[in-house]
Amino acid sequence: MTRAFAFAVSVAALAVAAPAFAQEGPPSAPPGGGPRMSGGGMMGMMLPRTTAEVEPWADRIFARLDANQDGAITGDELSMLSRPEIAQRGGSRIRAMISQSDADRDARVTQEELRAGALRMFQRMDVNGDGQLTGEELPQPPAQARPMAVPMPTQPDPMPMPFPDSTGG
């Protein structure tokens, strides 16, 4: 599994946690005041570290997204991941991950389908197959984006603009 996909999963966990964050208010800051990134998640939505933690983790995601509590996550419920504040945190990636969990392709992801999809995701991240995610296998936070540099010309302009002289010409 590539690091990019692993990071996408991490961002997905963040996007799923955003609705609960908006309803419950921000969690208390960890010591040092930085974001909660331990375990590849944020805002208390940590990625599972062992195979045994996968099912409860998937159940928490399911409970947060199944807004009408009909036992399935549908396109209407996934549409909230397109809101700008969530989309910029990877909402489209979590939407894709959940959609890929739809085993019977009926446009409804059940809790069992999400559990199975989460287990597949975990197994792809667990490179050595030992049932535990080590620090090397966990998604890493993205590097800080550097501002785009605009190259400046190194040679003088070969066609300088003429300036009028004192005679107007």
Side-chain angles (χ1 to χ4, degrees):
M1 187 173 115
T2 66
R3 290 255 183 221
F5 181 77
F7 174 69
V9 172
S10 174
V11 172
L14 168 64
V16 171
F21 177 78
Q23 292 172 358
E24 299 170 11
S28 60
R36 295 174 188 227
M37 278 303 285
S38 174
M42 289 178 70
M43 295 187 283
M45 201 59 180
M46 308 303 254
L47 286 177
R49 299 292 293 258
T50 66
T51 305
E53 295 172 356
V54 172
E55 190 172 308
W57 179 82
D59 290 345
R60 285 192 308 272
I61 290 175
F62 187 86
R64 289 182 178 185
L65 286 177
D66 186 17
N68 63 2
Q69 298 178 346
D70 66 347
I73 300 170
T74 61
D76 289 341
E77 291 161 325
L78 286 177
S79 68
M80 58 80 58
L81 297 174
S82 299
R83 293 192 321 214
E85 67 273 8
I86 297 172
Q88 73 183 8
R89 295 181 180 170
S92 59
R93 291 181 180 136
I94 185 71
R95 186 178 186 145
M97 191 263 309
I98 292 172
S99 296
Q100 290 171 4
S101 297
D102 186 11
D104 59 7
R105 300 289 180 224
D106 65 350
R108 297 170 46 88
V109 178
T110 64
Q111 191 165 7
E112 292 76 27
E113 288 174 323
L114 186 59
R115 286 175 180 169
L119 183 59
R120 283 190 305 273
M121 174 195 69
F122 182 89
Q123 290 168 340
R124 283 186 293 229
M125 287 192 303
D126 185 15
V127 177
N128 63 6
D130 67 353
Q132 296 183 352
L133 294 182
T134 63
E136 294 81 33
E137 294 170 320
L138 286 172
Q140 301 300 313
Q144 290 291 335
R146 295 186 314 209
M148 185 169 56
V150 177
M152 299 302 292
T154 57
Q155 301 291 325
D157 190 357
M159 301 279 294
M161 290 292 290
F163 289 101
D165 58 13
S166 60
T167 63

